[in-house]
Amino acid sequence: QVQLVESGGGLVQPGGSLRLSCAASGSIFSFYDMGWYRQAPGKQRELVAAILSGGSTNYANSVKGRFTMTRDYAKNTVYLQMNSLKPEDTAIYYCNAKLRVVDYWGQGTQVTVSS
């Protein structure tokens, strides 16, 4: 199993930046696919960015060019650098670790983009 602890959420103005962190422990971090998801009120949870165990990355079309996901193996931590934030980015952001069909989730951190 893996435990995930998120941090970095908060209130930011449109056009601003924020970096989310997710620290993993409890298992072999490198074996897991890692992802950031978000869920806005009344909407489905959606994948924002992912780094697979093999090293490949992918992003939702809505965040390409603005968000960057990185993975620090030495610190067992993944990050989501969010730039040029828009009000539409407002959501609860969740860190996810997946091994086969088993998912582990962080507690979620609120990101609010508002003037």
Side-chain angles (χ1 to χ4, degrees):
Q1 297 187 20
V2 62
Q3 294 80 47
L4 306 173
V5 179
E6 298 164 310
S7 61
L11 174 65
V12 65
Q13 294 185 349
S17 297
L18 207 60
R19 186 172 72 164
L20 307 182
S21 299
C22 174
S25 63
S27 191
I28 306 299
F29 173 73
S30 62
F31 288 176
Y32 290 81
D33 298 333
M34 301 297 298
W36 286 100
Y37 291 74
R38 67 186 182 188
Q39 188 166 25
K43 296 184 178 180
Q44 296 275 5
R45 185 180 299 178
E46 64 174 344
L47 177 67
V48 177
I51 297 179
L52 305 185
S53 61
S56 62
T57 60
N58 60 79
Y59 297 91
N61 288 334
S62 60
V63 306
K64 286 182 179 177
R66 300 189 298 120
F67 291 10
T68 303
M69 184 177 181
T70 56
R71 188 169 186 169
D72 188 332
Y73 291 93
K75 297 181 178 179
N76 288 341
T77 301
V78 294
Y79 305 92
L80 185 66
Q81 178 66 48
M82 304 184 292
N83 298 325
S84 301
L85 283 162
K86 305 175 181 179
E88 306 93 270
D89 297 317
T90 296
I92 301 175
Y93 284 71
Y94 297 92
C95 182
N96 169 262
K98 186 172 185 176
L99 182 62
R100 296 180 179 176
V101 298
V102 179
D103 285 307
Y104 300 92
W105 297 93
Q107 78 282 4
T109 185
Q110 178 70 49
V111 172
T112 302
V113 185
S114 179
S115 297

